[in-house]
Amino acid sequence: MAEKQNIEKDAGRLAVLERIKEYEKKGWWSKDVEEDPPTIPLTPDKVDYLNKKLSNRFLTWLVNVGAQRFIKNLVKDGKMIIREIKGIENYEAVDKEGVVITCNHFNPFDNFAIHYALFPYLYDHHRVLYKVIREGNYTNFPGIYGLFFRHCNTLPLSANFSTMKKFMEAVKVLLARGEKILVYAEQGMWWNYRKPRPLTVGAFKFAAENKVPVLPMFITMEDSEKIGPDGFPIQEYTLNIMPAIYPDKDKTVKENMVLLRDKNYAAWKDCYEKFYGIPLVYETEDEAFKSENVSGTENSSVAENGSSKAGGSSAMGDESSKTGAGSGAQDGSSKSAGGSSATAESSPSQEA
């Protein structure tokens, strides 16, 4: 207990938590709370989504070997604690088809928890988990982080129309051949935030257009006895995998985008309320998000014109971890509506 009292909470993380409170109050659900560097535009010639080049295939293989070892060491060293995986049968039910996976976005390493849970189903069957990431994560970082962002099965978004056309064509090919694509439908990462946020409808365009299911995953958290270097408790994760949601063949793409978003949100809300034993309530001034019928925002993310702001994730981590993105409950309780995350070492940014 003395150790908990002697570790000062990181000032940068405390500032982010205050911003989250402000954004929730104002209903800015998809707005970034981290301070990302300006984005360098991604042009079509700078990305090989389908790894057609031999050099890119080799680098992807190399980076994936390193990523597997890195993730397993996180668990071994207690820097990421996976307490339980629930509903793996729901993944098994769609193992052989293309799937869009959604997950709440609260930590730079939350996609690592998904990787860890799916290792036996992905790599043993020569599959990988593709991740939609923000443009800046792909273009901004040199060195080892840049290598991981560019070669860890990432699908970067772009403000460039031609690049986004290439992106959407690649998504179509990947889903048709049975790949799994992780999308963060909440968009920005809200560190230490446990509630499911209203979802952006554009993130469901991939599934609606390609007539594939959405597999909702929701990570719930509890404080462990360990304190991270940021002064917050390292979290114990429970990965909840819910039944797949399918587009309605009688609806249009736009109608299915809304349908998938609403059903995904309802599944997350139900999971949240059952796990934490409390109703989902937002501390917001926005009357539209005080009702029982919240499901998403009007922000279309990947809109019909191919604009780039979809639910993006990262390949390896987040710049926020440089200020201690490793742990913590927002209010210090072990099972609350606040927020939490697992411990992380220094690495670049991951918001949508």
Side-chain angles (χ1 to χ4, degrees):
M1 185 65 67
E3 182 184 8
K4 289 188 179 182
Q5 295 173 343
N6 291 335
I7 299 179
E8 184 178 355
K9 290 184 177 179
D10 182 87
R13 294 298 91 200
L14 290 171
V16 165
L17 294 179
E18 287 303 312
R19 267 199 300 278
I20 290 173
K21 289 180 182 179
E22 176 191 359
Y23 289 9
E24 178 177 356
K25 184 177 181 180
K26 294 181 178 178
W28 296 343
W29 304 110
S30 60
K31 189 173 180 179
D32 294 337
V33 296
E34 305 289 343
E35 296 179 357
D36 291 320
T39 295
I40 300 172
L42 177 63
T43 53
D45 59 305
K46 299 297 184 182
V47 60
D48 180 15
Y49 287 110
L50 297 176
N51 271 345
K52 293 180 179 180
K53 296 180 180 178
L54 180 61
S55 59
N56 287 336
R57 289 199 295 273
F58 172 74
L59 287 170
T60 296
W61 171 82
L62 187 66
V63 167
N64 271 286
V65 170
Q68 289 181 60
R69 186 178 298 119
F70 180 75
I71 293 169
K72 289 177 180 178
N73 284 338
L74 282 179
V75 175
K76 179 182 176 182
D77 297 340
K79 295 178 179 179
M80 182 171 71
I81 303 172
I82 309 294
R83 180 177 181 180
E84 190 175 0
I85 300 168
K86 295 181 177 181
I88 194 63
E89 69 278 2
N90 293 319
Y91 178 84
E92 292 173 332
V94 294
D95 187 26
K96 304 229 175 354
E97 56 186 307
V99 176
V100 172
I101 295 174
T102 63
C103 186
N104 52 322
H105 197 15
F106 57 88
N107 183 270
F109 286 177
D110 48 32
N111 78 81
F112 288 176
I114 298 173
H115 269 98
Y116 187 81
L118 300 184
F119 272 152
Y121 303 92
L122 294 172
Y123 298 106
D124 290 354
H125 294 88
H126 307 288
R127 297 280 188 188
V128 295
L129 179 65
Y130 287 84
K131 284 83 62 180
V132 176
I133 68 170
R134 64 186 293 272
E135 186 173 33
N137 284 355
Y138 192 87
T139 59
N140 283 18
F141 297 101
I144 187 66
Y145 290 131
L147 182 70
F148 273 93
F149 277 125
R150 289 187 292 275
H151 298 288
C152 198
N153 307 108
T154 53
L155 302 172
L157 299 161
S158 177
N160 183 291
F161 179 84
S162 297
T163 307
M164 279 306 296
K165 182 178 178 181
K166 189 175 179 180
F167 170 93
M168 294 302 289
E169 290 169 352
V171 166
K172 182 177 181 179
V173 170
L174 294 172
L175 291 174
R177 76 184 192 201
E179 303 290 357
K180 311 299 183 280
I181 300 178
L182 174 63
V183 180
Y184 286 113
E186 294 173 319
Q187 289 195 8
M189 186 194 78
W190 281 21
W191 189 80
N192 281 7
Y193 194 76
R194 292 185 175 180
K195 302 174 188 177
R197 282 179 279 151
L199 307 177
T200 55
V201 72
F204 298 92
K205 183 180 178 71
F206 313 132
E209 275 200 340
N210 294 285
K211 300 178 174 60
V212 300
V214 170
L215 188 68
M217 297 188 183
F218 191 78
I219 298 175
T220 48
M221 296 158 273
E222 294 179 276
D223 291 355
S224 73
E225 292 299 313
K226 295 182 178 180
I227 300 297
D230 54 15
F232 291 88
I234 296 173
Q235 295 302 294
E236 296 180 350
Y237 290 169
T238 296
L239 180 60
N240 303 276
I241 307 173
M242 286 148 272
I245 305 164
Y246 286 82
D248 186 330
K249 61 182 179 61
D250 295 323
K251 293 185 181 295
T252 66
V253 169
K254 287 183 179 180
E255 289 170 339
N256 270 315
M257 288 166 64
V258 174
L259 177 146
L260 293 170
R261 179 201 65 186
D262 293 353
K263 287 188 174 182
N264 192 127
Y265 181 85
W268 282 10
K269 179 176 182 288
D270 181 65
C271 178
Y272 169 89
E273 293 181 341
K274 286 179 178 177
F275 183 85
Y276 295 110
I278 54 176
L280 175 58
V281 177
Y282 298 117
E283 301 298 327
T284 180
E285 298 171 343
D286 191 334
E287 294 295 330
F289 295 99
K290 291 183 178 180
S291 74
E292 290 291 318
N293 299 317
V294 175
S295 56
T297 69
E298 292 303 313
N299 184 348
S300 65
S301 299
V302 179
E304 288 68 26
N305 63 1
S307 64
S308 67
K309 212 143 160 71
S313 69
S314 81
M316 287 303 298
D318 195 299
E319 189 173 26
S320 63
S321 62
K322 293 180 180 178
T323 53
S327 35
Q330 197 171 44
D331 58 6
S333 62
S334 65
K335 198 173 183 182
S336 74
S340 322
S341 52
T343 132
E345 302 299 328
S346 295
S347 47
S349 169
Q350 103 168 7
E351 287 90 74

